Amino acid sequence: MTEIPREEFVLKCTSACAGCPSSLALRYVLKAAGHDTVLVVPACCTSVIQGIFPFTSLNVTVYNIAFAAAAACASGMSEAFRKAGKKTSVIVYAGDGGTVDIGLQGLSAALEREEDFLYVCYDNEAYSNTGMQRSGATPYGARTTTTPAGKTHPKKDLDGIVAAHNPPYMATTCVAYPQDVFRKVQKALSIRGPSFIHLLAPCPTSWRFSPDLTIEMGKRAIRSGMWILYEREFGKVTINSVSKAALKNPLPLEDYLSPQGRFSGIGQREKDILISQARKMAKRLIHEEEGVC
Amino acid sequence: MSTAPAMSRPKQGASGKTGAWRIFRPRIDKDACNACGLCALSCPDAAIGEDLEIDLEYCKGCGICAHECPKKAISMKREEK
């Protein structure tokens, strides 16, 4: 804990649910970024958990904006700050709905223009803020209020889409490892140009598990190989050691799925599809790391 | 008509005293605690301070600290009404 600053930018308390992964992750994102930061928040849980006007629980400048406009707004902001000779970090903190579905064109355009900001997508794999509707990031077989019999389409490969833009830095992380979140945000902000962090946020409310298991579920996602921690720095892939160990000897998928109500009653066929998708992803990343493709 | 922007100011307790939401109350057994700080690291609301004391005015009682404690020094007891 020595290298993480003690100062808190998320003041006691946000109006997030008990055991919220988003406010936990935001604590470390802001600790890594420091005072000189502007947070751009499109419609997502973070735009409603800030508190009640005229007060806010976030002790940095926050700009709340419409779903599709987050990356465009951050582009303009960072451009203006650089023109004025300021080093202010601009961070977009968006949910999976605002990134995978609605904000994708803005993100793609900003990555193409090589704007200097960090985009953090905290992925709870559904529109949890509005009542757990399916999003493009919902995994195969998961029950949501709009897919009551389980989703029949696989999760969109957001990292693949972002990687196709060749940003200088992109990484995946998970709220279960706060030091990892802190380190990756610091690294992303130290690199000039667009950077992207995809953060898995196990949400007790929408995944329907007990709130004390938020961190445990994140660890199980990584140990079962359903989520892989890696970094892509100037095109070079490095799989982080936790995931490397997990891919060699993965935890049974059942350990990850069984505490989650959204996977209750999932069939063997759906499980096989989830496993085959995860293996395919792992194989591709391992090949990329070795330089095979 | 006022042209002042609608801007919120940072303040502790901007969402009220969230401790009232709590169903289970955490309690640290100081004899078993080895002050590793993992509870403070994993608290979503920063309700555990540097001194590893839980701020019960704001603690929502999620129980992550009790689950993550390697010494099992934190117990969750149902709140008495």
Side-chain angles (χ1 to χ4, degrees), chain A residues 123-152:
Chain A
D123 187 354
N124 52 21
E125 304 189 325
Y127 288 87
S128 301
N129 178 20
T130 48
M132 302 98 190
Q133 292 87 357
R134 105 202 251 284
S135 80
T138 307
Y140 195 90
R143 291 169 195 269
T144 63
T145 46
T146 45
T147 56
K151 196 186 172 202
T152 49

Side-chain angles (χ1 to χ4, degrees), chain A residues 12 14 16 27-28 54 56, chain B residues 9 11 13 41-43 55 60:
Chain A
K12 293 183 266 192
T14 61
R27 272 183 71 198
Y28 293 97
T56 167
Chain B
R9 303 280 168 196
K11 183 186 168 230
L41 191 77
S42 27
C43 178
D55 188 344
K60 295 171 185 165

Side-chain angles (χ1 to χ4, degrees), chain A residues 222 228-229 237-249 286 289:
Chain A
I222 288 155
I228 302 166
L229 295 185
V237 173
T238 318
I239 301 176
N240 297 135
S241 52
V242 195
S243 272
K244 249 187 195 155
L247 293 177
K248 278 194 188 121
N249 187 16
I286 291 168
E289 192 185 30

Side-chain angles (χ1 to χ4, degrees), chain A:
Chain A
M1 248 191 114
T2 44
E3 85 275 27
I4 296 181
R6 289 175 188 277
E7 190 177 3
E8 294 292 342
F9 296 96
V10 179
L11 304 177
K12 293 183 266 192
C13 258
T14 61
S15 55
C17 313
C20 178
S22 155
S23 64
L24 177 55
L26 190 55
R27 272 183 71 198
Y28 293 97
V29 170
L30 292 179
K31 274 172 189 254
H35 275 285
D36 197 11
T37 302
V38 176
L39 206 62
V40 179
V41 179
C44 61
C45 285
T46 307
S47 54
V48 290
I49 67 176
Q50 289 164 18
I52 304 156
F53 181 80
F55 300 112
T56 167
S57 51
L58 301 184
N59 201 6
V60 291
T61 312
V62 181
Y63 195 78
N64 289 296
I65 195 157
F67 253 132
C73 167
S75 304
M77 265 189 199
S78 74
E79 199 76 20
F81 282 130
R82 302 304 170 258
K83 274 276 177 321
K86 287 184 182 169
K87 285 190 174 158
T88 309
S89 328
V90 180
I91 302 178
V92 179
Y93 195 68
D96 56 298
T99 309
V100 173
D101 298 340
I102 309 171
L104 191 58
Q105 49 80 19
L107 173 62
S108 172
L111 291 172
E112 185 264 327
R113 290 192 303 265
E114 298 186 335
E115 304 287 357
D116 184 19
F117 70 89
L118 165 64
Y119 197 108
V120 180
C121 167
Y122 65 98
D123 187 354
N124 52 21
E125 304 189 325
Y127 288 87
S128 301
N129 178 20
T130 48
M132 302 98 190
Q133 292 87 357
R134 105 202 251 284
S135 80
T138 307
Y140 195 90
R143 291 169 195 269
T144 63
T145 46
T146 45
T147 56
K151 196 186 172 202
T152 49
H153 302 99
K155 184 179 169 117
K156 196 190 274 186
D157 182 10
L158 177 64
D159 299 317
I161 296 171
V162 173
H165 295 78
N166 287 318
Y169 183 79
M170 67 169 286
T172 59
T173 183
C174 178
V175 72
Y177 298 94
Q179 289 103 333
D180 189 67
V181 177
F182 181 83
R183 183 179 66 83
K184 284 177 177 163
V185 171
Q186 257 194 344
K187 198 170 193 179
L189 290 174
S190 71
I191 292 170
R192 208 182 151 86
S195 35
F196 178 82
I197 291 179
H198 195 179
L199 190 150
L200 182 72
C203 167
T205 314
S206 94
W207 296 18
R208 294 180 226 153
F209 60 83
S210 164
D212 60 335
L213 295 178
T214 300
I215 287 186
E216 182 65 30
M217 290 315 301
K219 284 181 181 165
R220 286 189 194 184
I222 288 155
R223 287 181 189 153
S224 61
M226 293 302 288
W227 188 257
I228 302 166
L229 295 185
Y230 69 93
E231 290 166 274
R232 193 189 296 272
E233 226 176 316
F234 299 102
K236 197 191 169 312
V237 173
T238 318
I239 301 176
N240 297 135
S241 52
V242 195
S243 272
K244 249 187 195 155
L247 293 177
K248 278 194 188 121
N249 187 16
L251 207 67
L253 183 65
E254 199 52 47
D255 289 9
Y256 174 56
L257 300 188
S258 61
Q260 299 180 42
R262 63 173 181 161
F263 285 116
S264 64
I266 186 174
Q268 192 56 44
R269 194 183 137 265
E270 282 83 5
K271 279 186 202 165
D272 290 344
I273 291 175
L274 280 174
I275 292 179
S276 79
Q277 281 167 356
R279 293 231 174 103
K280 223 159 123 187
M281 175 65 125
K283 208 169 162 188
R284 205 187 75 200
L285 283 171
I286 291 168
H287 278 167
E288 275 192 64
E289 192 185 30
E290 288 167 349
V292 177
C293 68

